[in-house]
């Protein structure tokens, strides 16, 4: 066995002392330890080609921004980061919209320009931009797009209605109807007395339904997994529903609760309108819901807020939504880049693009047409990601599984060899089952992933899940406790991926991180050094744990954002744009990405081997220093150090030792050293006008004699490249 040893010393360079002084006004004693890289030829942790597995995500944007982003100068700046493939993100799915990826296509009801849409699988003109269409049968109040829609369940208009997805009916799933009960949850905003409900059903309606109330913690939204359980109202089961306006006395005495759940079974399979589309009679429809108490005269004191905007109605969560829509439902405020623009931009470097198909708010025929279009254009596509963030959309795992298989059959009818995967999880952390109807799994895994795998396995013999995809934004509040969170970041990812295995995910299924960043919300760490340190650590940790591919989010030039409740501004981005959308500043995340792709990895590409590395002894602060060791195709060793310690310098002495001798030997020949930290970057907070006041690239030195001592300054990234003797 051959080992690469990096022994910590007591010397701190001026570089480290300057960084510490900048950060905290004074220097602190260095911490010591030994970094050991275990090198056993043929026993690497991971073997990969960085130029093929480390890429970036392209997303939808606001009206008019796509053209501004995809300029030659911006594309050149993006390519200079050195990242490889790209993945296409689908904002329409987050906004609860149907996607017209080709503006030309056909409606299921062409006379009225409405119904279910199928884009044409060919286009004589380049598709430069595409749009989503709002769903008029929407049930959920809030969404993860621009959040400018609202629920039709409590909009105060009985002419509108929420309808569930018809593709979850047995006609399409092949399952018993009881496998896919549909549901809605009403959040009253605060605990209140409830002993009655009034449900104005549409067509089709449920013949059987249940009403439950939440018993337990009422202080946080139900989708944040409060402690408690669902309990049935004493008179909360209806077994002979007839639709119409149903008034239900739920209990003799009011129950104080904030959340009420209605679970729907046994569709009437009736339809209103009579246009002949069988999908109109599949699922369930509800026009309006009222909850509260009945007085002696039979008047219902309604606790539900009704209005035609998200901030004017009680929050509603639902199991699914019918993708039916109309021509005038176009949302002009969100643009998706057109397929032709993406594939001809040069940003994918000719590599296969990871493409999505919407499955939560779309139909299989549109997905099949999308794949035919890409094949007819000869665009390189090997894998397709099915849907976007079903856990964030609160989709029941069995429902997602049913849609996954239906859309998968349609896609494989076009190309039997294309690889399908998902579920594009909002986070790899274990999704809560608070909302979903209770049911055990066959092996006792009461998790979203466990239930999804249990649904998929007997119906596909494990062949349909070609990869498991998820996004990684571990910190919901990016405005506080940066040092502590950054320090724990690698452990969080390690625990999350261990949870995937515990939930039953096979190691034979590749893991793909289709987005990653410090937070899904804007905050100052993303435009300062912590964001760069976080991204670098994510790449090294994910690859060390066996991750197949990782895609950085924030590839396009962006602007500063501020979240409600946060007084500071930030955003996940490699570049801060000017008012015309052009690159103005390169951010720390840019320089970190370039260090990984052009310095730590051989810029010429090729097969790299990642070997295990550890810091000894594991004393105070040892968990704040990460090291990732590559043996590159050019036979050089490349060590990537991330010092997440905000106050301490680590002074190290690089040596190589063999298993036959305890004595270390210095590197042979010249070495290359790159360092990046606070001397290179300083951020000025100025609201929406915040900007870097110092924005320099990493320092670089070519050393004829390999260094006997190095300093890892607080909040810094260091790469050392050299040969073993």
């Amino acid at each position: 066995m051959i080992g690469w040893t990096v022994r910590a010393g007591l010397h701190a360079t001026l570089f480290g002392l300057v960084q510490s002084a900048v950060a905290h006004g004074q220097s602190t004693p260095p911490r010591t330890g030994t970094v050991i890289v275990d090198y056993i030829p043929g026993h690497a942790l991971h073997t990969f080609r960085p130029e093929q597995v480390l890429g970036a995500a392209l997303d939808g944007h606001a009206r008019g921004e796509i053209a501004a982003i995809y300029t030659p100068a911006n594309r050149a700046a993006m390519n200079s980061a050195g990242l490889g493939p790209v993945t296409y993100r689908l904002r329409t799915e987050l906004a609860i919209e149907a996607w017209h990826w080709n503006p030309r296509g056909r409606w299921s009801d062409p006379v009225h320009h409405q119904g279910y849409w199928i884009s044409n699988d060919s286009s004589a003109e380049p598709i430069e931009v595409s749009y989503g269409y709002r769903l008029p049968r929407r049930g959920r109040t809030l969404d993860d797009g621009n959040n400018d829609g609202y629920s039709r369940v409590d909009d105060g208009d009985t002419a509108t209605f929420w309808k569930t997805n018809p593709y979850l009916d047995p006609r399409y799933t092949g399952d018993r109807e009881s496998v896919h009960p549909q549901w809605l949850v009403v959040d009253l905003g605060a605990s209140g007395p409830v002993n009655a409900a009034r449900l104005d059903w549409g067509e089709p309606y449920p013949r059987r339904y249940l009403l439950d109330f939440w018993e337990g913690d009422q202080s946080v939204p139900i989708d944040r997994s409060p402690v408690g359980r669902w309990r049935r109202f004493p008179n909360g089961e209806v077994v002979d529903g007839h639709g119409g306006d149903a008034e239900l006395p739920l209990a003799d005495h009011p129950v104080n609760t904030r959340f009420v759940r209605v679970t729907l079974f046994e569709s009437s399979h009736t339809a209103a309108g009579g246009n002949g589309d069988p999908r109109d009679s599949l699922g369930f429809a509800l026009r309006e819901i009222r909850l509260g108490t009945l007085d002696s005269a039979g008047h219902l004191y309604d606790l539900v807020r009704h209005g035609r905007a998200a901030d004017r109605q009680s929050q509603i969560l639902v199991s699914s939504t019918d993708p039916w829509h109309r021509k005038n439902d176009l949302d002009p405020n969100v643009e998706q880049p057109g397929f032709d623009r993406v594939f001809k931009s040069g940003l994918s470097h000719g590599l296969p693009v990871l493409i999505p198909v919407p499955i939560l708010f779309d139909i299989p025929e549109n997905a099949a047409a999308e794949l035919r279009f890409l094949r007819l254009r000869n665009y390189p596509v090997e894998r397709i990601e099915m849907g976007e963030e079903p856990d964030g959309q609160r989709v029941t795992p069995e429902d997602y599984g049913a849609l996954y298989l239906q859309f998968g059959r349609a896609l494989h009818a076009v190309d039997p060899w294309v690889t399908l995967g998902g579920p594009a999880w909002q986070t790899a952390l274990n999704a809560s089952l608070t909302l979903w109807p209770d049911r055990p799994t066959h092996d006792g895994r009461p998790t979203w992933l466990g239930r999804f795998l249990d649904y998929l396995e007997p119906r596909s013999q494990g062949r349909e899940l070609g990869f498991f995809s998820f996004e990684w934004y571990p910190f919901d509040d990016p405005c506080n406790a940066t040092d502590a969170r950054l320090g724990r970041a690698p452990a969080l990812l390690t625990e999350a991926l261990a949870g995937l295995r515990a939930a039953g995910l096979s190691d034979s299924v590749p893991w793909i991180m289709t987005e990653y960043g410090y937070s899904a919300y804007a905050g100052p760490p993303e435009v300062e050094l912590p964001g760069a340190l976080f991204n670098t650590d994510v790449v090294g940790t994910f690859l060390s744990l066996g991750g197949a591919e990782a895609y950085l989010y924030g590839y396009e030039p962006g602007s500063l954002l501020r979240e409600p409740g946060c007084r500071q501004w930030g955003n996940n981005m490699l570049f801060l744009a000017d008012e015309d959308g052009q690159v103005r500043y390169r951010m720390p995340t840019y320089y970190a990405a370039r260090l990984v792709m052009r310095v730590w990895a051989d810029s010429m590409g090729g097969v790299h081997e990642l070997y295990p590395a550890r810091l000894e002894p594991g004393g105070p602060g040892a968990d704040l220093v990460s090291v990732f060791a590559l043996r590159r195709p050019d036979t050089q060793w490349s060590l990537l150090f991330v010092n997440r310690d905000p106050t301490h310098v680590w002074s190290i002495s690089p040596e190589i030792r063999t298993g036959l001798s305890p004595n270390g030997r210095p590197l042979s020949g010249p070495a290359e050293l790159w360092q990046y930290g606070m001397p290179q970057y300083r951020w000025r907070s100025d609201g929406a006008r915040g900007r870097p006041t110092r924005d320099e690239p990493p320092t670089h030195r070519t050393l004829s004699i390999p260094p006997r001592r190095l300093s890892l300054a607080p909040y810094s990234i260091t790469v050392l490249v050299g040969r073993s003797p």
Side-chain angles (χ1 to χ4, degrees), residues 320-525:
S320 69
T321 293
D322 189 344
W324 188 98
H325 58 288
R326 304 159 300 194
K327 181 180 180 179
N328 61 359
D329 291 317
L330 169 70
D331 179 3
N333 298 319
V334 177
E335 299 176 342
Q336 293 283 151
F339 282 140
D340 292 310
R341 187 190 293 271
V342 169
F343 280 95
K344 294 180 179 180
S345 67
L347 296 174
S348 65
H349 308 104
L351 297 168
V353 176
L354 179 57
I355 287 293
V357 296
I359 71 174
L360 304 180
F361 309 111
D362 218 305
I363 63 174
E365 295 88 343
N366 196 35
E370 177 186 335
L371 182 55
R372 282 196 301 271
F373 173 87
L374 295 169
R375 288 289 180 255
L376 289 170
R377 285 285 212 261
N378 292 316
Y379 290 145
V381 173
E382 296 178 353
R383 290 157 307 161
I384 294 179
E385 191 174 32
M386 309 287 276
E388 183 103 3
E389 302 183 17
D391 57 328
Q393 304 279 8
R394 314 306 173 194
V395 175
T396 307
E398 292 81 9
D399 289 358
Y400 173 75
L403 296 173
Y404 184 101
L405 292 177
Q406 289 178 61
F407 281 71
R409 287 191 293 269
L411 291 165
H412 277 158
V414 176
D415 181 353
W417 306 110
V418 70
T419 300
L420 309 179
W425 245 6
Q426 190 176 74
T427 173
L429 297 173
N430 200 8
S432 164
L433 293 177
T434 303
L435 289 169
W436 297 290
D438 307 314
R439 66 181 64 177
T441 57
H442 76 271
D443 59 0
R445 297 191 304 250
T447 63
W448 197 101
L449 178 57
R451 282 173 51 175
F452 168 60
L453 295 174
D454 283 348
Y455 181 87
L456 214 60
E457 178 65 29
R459 294 166 175 84
S460 67
Q461 291 75 50
R463 294 193 298 266
E464 285 295 325
L465 189 62
F467 60 88
F468 180 86
S469 63
F470 67 95
E471 301 169 1
W472 185 244
Y473 300 102
F475 307 123
D476 284 345
D477 177 7
C479 298
N480 297 294
T482 300
D483 291 352
R485 289 173 174 170
L486 190 62
R488 183 155 167 70
L492 283 176
L493 182 55
T494 302
E495 293 166 5
L497 298 185
L500 299 181
R501 289 192 176 99
L505 186 64
S506 169
D507 285 343
S508 65
V509 177
W511 299 343
I512 299 182
M513 187 186 294
T514 46
E515 294 181 25
Y516 65 88
Y518 185 87
S519 175
Y521 304 95

Side-chain angles (χ1 to χ4, degrees), residues 128-345:
E128 301 289 342
V129 67
S130 58
Y131 293 93
Y133 284 67
R134 296 187 176 96
L135 302 183
R137 297 175 177 178
R138 170 174 169 161
R140 189 177 173 190
T141 298
L142 305 177
D143 63 60
D144 297 318
N146 287 349
N147 199 30
D148 54 3
Y150 59 91
S151 172
R152 272 44 173 194
V153 176
D154 56 349
D155 63 350
D157 183 357
T158 56
T160 65
F161 57 90
W162 160 60
K163 184 172 177 291
T164 62
N165 193 330
Y167 289 89
L168 296 173
D169 185 87
R171 176 177 299 197
Y172 291 105
T173 66
D175 298 323
R176 301 185 311 276
E177 193 170 40
S178 60
V179 175
H180 301 282
Q182 298 299 287
W183 53 265
L184 68 105
V185 172
V186 182
D187 182 348
L188 298 173
S191 294
V194 177
N195 71 347
R198 183 172 293 148
L199 301 165
D200 189 353
W201 295 109
E203 301 282 351
Y205 57 85
R207 298 190 185 278
R208 175 173 171 257
Y209 52 97
L210 310 172
L211 285 93
D212 302 317
F213 65 92
W214 183 253
E215 182 181 69
D217 183 10
Q218 315 272 341
S219 63
V220 298
I222 195 69
D223 53 0
R224 294 188 185 176
S225 304
V227 176
R229 60 174 180 163
W230 291 107
R231 290 194 61 183
R232 187 74 32 80
F233 282 101
N235 302 321
E237 182 173 5
V238 176
V239 296
D240 58 347
H242 295 87
D245 194 353
E247 187 171 287
L248 308 174
L250 299 174
D252 294 336
H253 303 287
V255 173
N256 278 305
T257 190
R258 174 177 170 178
F259 309 106
V260 174
R261 182 177 70 179
V262 186
T263 308
L264 316 175
F265 303 89
E266 301 176 17
S267 172
S268 66
H269 291 141
T270 54
N275 64 11
D277 193 321
R279 288 168 287 193
D280 284 343
S281 65
L282 304 181
F284 309 94
L286 179 63
R287 298 185 180 279
E288 205 77 10
I289 186 170
R290 295 172 178 81
L291 298 165
T293 55
L294 285 172
D295 63 16
S296 57
H299 175 74
L300 178 66
Y301 289 92
D302 187 13
L303 299 179
V304 179
R305 297 172 61 235
H306 302 263
R308 295 174 63 86
D311 59 352
R312 296 182 181 179
Q313 60 179 204
S314 296
Q315 183 178 348
I316 303 290
L317 295 165
V318 298
S319 54
S320 69
T321 293
D322 189 344
W324 188 98
H325 58 288
R326 304 159 300 194
K327 181 180 180 179
N328 61 359
D329 291 317
L330 169 70
D331 179 3
N333 298 319
V334 177
E335 299 176 342
Q336 293 283 151
F339 282 140
D340 292 310
R341 187 190 293 271
V342 169
F343 280 95
K344 294 180 179 180
S345 67

Side-chain angles (χ1 to χ4, degrees), residues 523-649:
E526 298 151 353
V527 294
E528 300 184 20
L529 285 171
L533 302 179
F534 173 87
N535 288 348
T536 307
D537 232 332
V538 162
V539 169
T541 302
F542 186 57
L543 292 174
S544 298
L545 295 170
E549 298 175 28
Y551 294 86
L552 184 149
Y553 188 81
Y555 202 21
E556 307 100 329
S559 57
L560 294 175
L561 304 173
R562 184 177 65 177
E563 302 290 348
C566 182
R567 300 174 62 184
Q568 303 181 67
W569 297 67
N571 202 356
N572 286 303
M573 54 188 174
L574 298 187
F575 311 97
L576 180 60
D578 61 20
E579 60 184 12
D580 296 320
Q582 304 308 293
V583 171
R584 184 175 183 184
Y585 297 103
R586 286 164 169 77
M587 309 301 287
T589 47
Y590 167 82
Y591 290 114
R594 190 173 170 86
L595 278 173
V596 167
M597 297 301 298
R598 303 278 183 160
V599 178
W600 181 53
D602 189 342
S603 61
M604 299 300 293
V607 177
H608 290 57
E609 297 176 335
L610 180 64
Y611 285 90
R614 64 187 185 276
L615 181 63
E616 294 182 350
D623 58 343
L624 298 178
V625 177
S626 300
V627 59
F628 307 103
L630 280 183
R631 186 166 174 78
R632 308 192 324 183
D634 60 5
T635 73
Q636 294 194 95
W637 280 94
S638 181
L639 288 182
L640 170 63
F641 295 95
V642 182
N643 185 7
R644 291 169 283 112
D645 192 323
T647 58
H648 289 85
V649 174

